[in-house]
Amino acid sequence: MPAMPDDDPPFLILRRDGERVVVRGAESWASGPHGKAATVWAEWGWTDGRLTARVDRYGFYTLFWYEKDGVVAVSPSLVKLVAEGCDATQDARALAVFHRIGIFVNDDTPLKHVKTLPPGGVLTWDGTGAVRVESGATVPGTQEISREGAVDGMITHFRSAVARALEEHTGPFHVPLSGGRDSRHILLEVLHQGRRPEACVTFHHNGAVPNREAMAARALCERLGVTHEMLGFGRPRLADTLRALVMTSLCADEHAQMMPLNDYFLGRDAVSFDGIAGDILTNPDDSADWFMGLSRKGDWKGIAQGMIDGHGRVVSQSHWGKGAGPIYSPGMDEEVRDYVAPAIAQYADAPDPYQMFWMFHRTRREINFVPQAILGSARHVFCPYLDPEFVEFCISLPYSVTKDQQLHNDAIARAYPEVADIPYQEGFPEPRVRRNSKLRKLGGVRDAAQIVAALGGESRVRAFLGFVRFPDKLTRHHGDIYALHALSLDGLDAAKARRLLDLAARLRARRPGRLISDRYEGA
């Protein structure tokens, strides 16, 4: 997929004017080539008085669409739609869900009149009547398979997925490498198939001292003789958060930490791999067993409440624990629970309903912005875990073979025994975290002043103080995200949306020049 600058995303706006349709923007657009290894993509075309827009099989490319008062619009950027005049009325319920579980569910967005296309979604409009949206989503059955068969199947299907990508792209590529399973599996498999990346890239925020994730990545690269570049220099906290919020169209409370990768690929004519969905497809998390028990009872509200409570603990300081909901959308707990519960219940017949919900509502709606936006500065991003054969195999596995959370470990160890002794990140000691320097803190004050000046309303002083003081209820990281999210939406209209895009572009132009803090020269 081609790079998509923060300040000039593509769009198409169609307005019914009597017997004709007034067209503004790109009449046709595609996110990139749709070869057999393409798994995250979108496109639209206005031809012979008919609009057709579609997204990939699992809907992992977020394409926003708008309809109101005879106007229909599409864009990969919600902010761009508003900047071009689309109604920015907020969706209070969708925002309340976001404040409580950190994601937007179904096809909701922060705005009432803007939605996303569903998995395999196809939108059509003939210039009259309402927009029609069809979904290709399905719920899998459960296959009969042993644990040994599941391990072998994972190896085989993933090997085929990577082979399709390498067949489609015969040139150089990079592999962002974490200390976990997903990216390690990608690296080991491309090497198994006789291809070597130009470099593996790992970001962390601990200066010259690598954290344990970077240690695990380096240990693997040294064993394999692969060039490894660490991006460890300190970052402008608020600037990265604002840039990430605009890139993700105000639809995610993550990804600011990944801005070093975005900067790394900016200006490079590079191809990258990404391990999106590898975790949720291969291992449930620590809550899965509890949620499976609730799903067998049909207690969907119980699962929804568990998600709300869990997210609240993650984003809060220990003395608070209630999350962002009571701060930004008070009094809506029950409404959120009643709305999220049926979104989970639609997967009642899947082998693991919780896995399916997380796959198609968090991974599809939030983590998807990594290949689409954060790595969008690369020329193309391959996502082999979203290969249809691999996905359909994994989501139909019985819970009994995935519940111990070791399936991916076992598959990697069996396929590549020569590196089975290298621990993942949890096997390395966590080093001491470096404190921010006074110079970086002054830079944060400058960024806060610039952001508030561009976006703040009447309470600019209070907003500024909120960014330079430590938040009293949420963590520093999440306090910044939710505060900036609320500030961006407050009074959002075309003029403010343009200021958001312009501010993100200015912050990008002022991005840190130092990126690679340490480099290992491979063979």
Side-chain angles (χ1 to χ4, degrees):
M1 61 190 69
M4 188 181 75
D6 336 37
D7 53 333
D8 193 25
F11 72 95
L12 173 64
I13 294 181
L14 306 171
R15 178 174 58 84
R16 186 72 189 175
D17 183 14
E19 296 300 316
R20 68 190 186 101
V21 174
V22 178
V23 181
R24 191 157 56 89
E27 295 189 17
S28 63
W29 174 84
S31 62
H34 299 172
K36 60 184 179 181
T39 53
V40 181
W41 56 267
E43 64 182 9
W44 72 67
W46 170 254
T47 307
D48 297 328
R50 183 179 179 87
L51 171 64
T52 302
R54 62 183 80 239
V55 294
D56 57 86
R57 177 170 180 160
Y58 301 114
F60 271 65
Y61 197 104
T62 293
L63 186 63
F64 298 96
W65 65 276
Y66 169 91
E67 181 182 27
K68 186 187 178 189
D69 297 336
V71 175
V72 174
V74 287
S75 176
S77 169
L78 173 147
V79 181
K80 183 64 172 179
L81 289 178
V82 178
E84 295 297 329
C86 294
D87 189 318
T89 300
Q90 295 180 21
D91 186 331
R93 183 180 63 188
L95 283 166
V97 172
F98 174 71
H99 295 148
R100 284 161 178 78
I101 60 175
I103 58 174
F104 290 90
V105 303
N106 298 320
D107 299 312
D108 296 343
T109 78
L111 306 184
K112 181 179 180 181
H113 301 291
V114 179
K115 302 295 181 183
T116 67
L117 285 184
V122 179
L123 177 153
T124 54
W125 187 60
D126 63 4
T128 63
V131 165
R132 181 179 179 183
V133 175
E134 298 176 305
S135 173
T138 59
V139 177
T142 304
Q143 61 174 306
E144 293 186 9
I145 192 171
S146 67
R147 175 55 180 262
E148 291 297 300
V151 171
D152 288 340
M154 275 195 61
I155 295 171
T156 300
H157 287 294
F158 191 72
R159 189 152 283 168
S160 297
V162 171
R164 280 187 274 275
L166 295 177
E167 180 182 349
E168 186 169 306
H169 176 72
T170 58
F173 58 89
H174 290 69
V175 176
L177 184 64
S178 72
R181 286 85 180 146
D182 304 338
S183 57
R184 178 177 292 199
H185 198 171
I186 291 172
L187 173 60
L188 292 172
E189 185 53 39
V190 298
L191 291 170
H192 175 81
Q193 298 196 24
R195 299 281 291 278
R196 182 171 292 267
E198 284 198 345
C200 291
V201 190
T202 304
F203 70 88
H204 66 98
H205 301 294
N206 209 27
V209 180
N211 63 10
R212 60 182 185 172
E213 186 162 2
M215 291 179 194
R218 172 57 57 84
L220 184 66
C221 288
E222 287 181 342
R223 173 73 63 83
L224 299 170
V226 174
T227 297
H228 184 224
E229 296 178 326
M230 293 187 191
L231 315 181
F233 287 116
R235 299 287 303 185
R237 173 174 53 85
L238 286 177
D240 279 357
T241 301
L242 192 282
R243 288 175 62 194
L245 280 172
V246 173
M247 281 185 176
T248 60
S249 291
L250 307 177
C251 287
D253 70 348
E254 298 192 24
H255 304 322
Q257 76 279 10
M258 301 190 76
M259 291 309 297
L261 276 179
N262 180 265
D263 289 353
Y264 180 88
F265 283 105
L266 277 172
R268 294 174 184 254
D269 183 24
V271 169
S272 178
F273 279 79
D274 183 58
I276 185 171
D279 54 354
I280 194 63
L281 284 173
T282 56
N283 291 314
D285 61 28
D286 292 339
S287 300
D289 214 38
W290 174 39
F291 287 148
M292 176 58 76
L294 293 177
S295 68
R296 286 168 176 161
K297 299 175 185 176
D299 186 4
W300 311 112
K301 288 186 180 181
I303 298 177
Q305 187 61 55
M307 291 179 178
I308 293 170
D309 294 341
H311 186 262
R313 289 190 294 270
V314 167
V315 305
S316 299
Q317 295 186 52
S318 57
H319 72 272
W320 174 244
K322 301 176 183 178
I327 302 171
Y328 292 101
S329 52
M332 298 188 69
D333 291 3
E334 186 174 353
E335 185 174 352
V336 168
R337 189 168 56 247
D338 289 347
Y339 183 65
V340 173
I344 306 168
Q346 66 181 304
Y347 305 112
D349 295 331
D352 184 350
Y354 171 69
Q355 176 201 41
M356 285 290 290
F357 174 83
W358 224 228
M359 169 74 174
F360 287 102
H361 297 263
R362 180 175 181 263
T363 312
R364 178 179 77 91
R365 293 298 318 277
E366 179 174 64
I367 310 304
N368 70 304
F369 286 111
V370 175
Q372 177 175 341
I374 301 301
L375 297 177
S377 47
R379 173 159 44 99
H380 190 76
V381 182
F382 288 103
C383 304
Y385 290 102
L386 292 177
D387 179 89
E389 289 184 11
F390 185 82
V391 172
E392 297 305 313
F393 176 79
C394 288
I395 62 177
S396 62
L397 289 172
Y399 181 69
S400 60
V401 306
T402 64
K403 64 178 295 184
D404 67 358
Q405 302 183 46
Q406 296 300 310
L407 182 61
H408 206 178
N409 290 351
D410 293 348
I412 293 173
R414 181 177 299 179
Y416 321 101
E418 66 277 11
V419 295
D421 61 309
I422 299 178
Y424 296 101
Q425 64 187 51
E426 55 268 26
F428 289 82
E430 188 66 70
R432 182 180 177 183
V433 177
R434 295 185 58 179
R435 295 184 178 275
N436 290 340
S437 67
K438 291 183 179 179
L439 186 61
R440 283 190 62 207
K441 290 180 179 179
L442 287 174
V445 171
R446 177 198 61 186
D447 291 340
Q450 182 179 8
I451 290 169
V452 171
L455 305 179
E458 296 179 359
S459 56
R460 293 189 180 190
V461 173
R462 185 172 62 188
F464 173 77
L465 291 176
F467 290 128
V468 298
R469 293 174 177 171
F470 197 85
D472 61 348
K473 293 179 178 178
L474 303 182
T475 66
R476 169 85 276 176
H477 173 65
H478 288 95
D480 286 346
I481 291 172
Y482 285 108
L484 276 176
H485 191 267
L487 184 64
S488 299
L489 282 170
D490 184 27
L492 184 64
D493 58 11
K496 185 168 183 176
R498 288 193 291 269
R499 293 201 303 274
L500 262 174
L501 292 169
D502 177 68
L503 177 58
R506 283 186 281 131
L507 293 173
R508 185 188 67 214
R510 205 177 70 204
R511 65 190 182 274
R514 297 193 309 167
L515 284 176
I516 301 173
S517 57
D518 187 80
R519 191 171 197 267
Y520 165 74
E521 294 283 354

